[in-house]
Amino acid sequence: MSLRHPVARTVKKCTLTLCTLFLSYFLHGQTARGEFIQASIGYGMSAPYDDVDILGDGFYAQGEYVLNLKSWLSLRPYAGVILVKTSDKNSMQREAGYEISANAFLLGGKARVIAPIPWVAPYVEGGIGTSLGSFVTNTGYTDLKKSGMLWHIPFSFGLLVGRHHNFDIGFVYYFHPSAEQYSGAFAVGMSFALD
């Protein structure tokens, strides 16, 4: 029987409808509402806004108080640290006097939106915050040394993994417009319920 036949099209529509209803039954098992603490650690990095081949690498750690408002939305005040200096792998750039570093305490708030998928749920988050520390951006185009309190824009994306989505694997970025650089990390984290 051809798919152009009216009965075949009806069977196809019914099958798609049943599959959709069946899969939507399992979508209720998302991130639980409530309060959590999340701890993350990772490989830190920094790079200038300029199109220059220089990177910094180092250490990143962060803690978040998580308030899950819905299964797909959470508010997340955070505090963290990034300690990054110019990578020794770019010896040619270092010889030219290029330098990139970020040594700061990070503080702020963000919101996370989570896709409603069980076991492995992608997410994206953004917000606003402040950095307390020092930043150096020295390239052929920019020569900045900033210290004290600077504002930043956090942006992250990644995956929540596990039955209760309590494991986090993601990429975290902090854009520092006044230092003309961004810092970030490849980080892994774990959530702990406060209830």
Side-chain angles (χ1 to χ4, degrees), residues 64-94:
E64 300 177 10
Y65 170 74
V66 181
L67 179 60
N68 284 337
L69 302 176
K70 301 280 185 185
S71 62
W72 55 272
L73 176 66
S74 64
L75 299 178
R76 312 170 80 84
Y78 62 89
V81 65
I82 184 119
L83 304 170
V84 175
K85 65 179 184 173
T86 308
S87 175
D88 291 330
K89 298 172 189 167
N90 295 329
S91 59
M92 289 176 56
Q93 300 293 352
R94 272 199 114 150

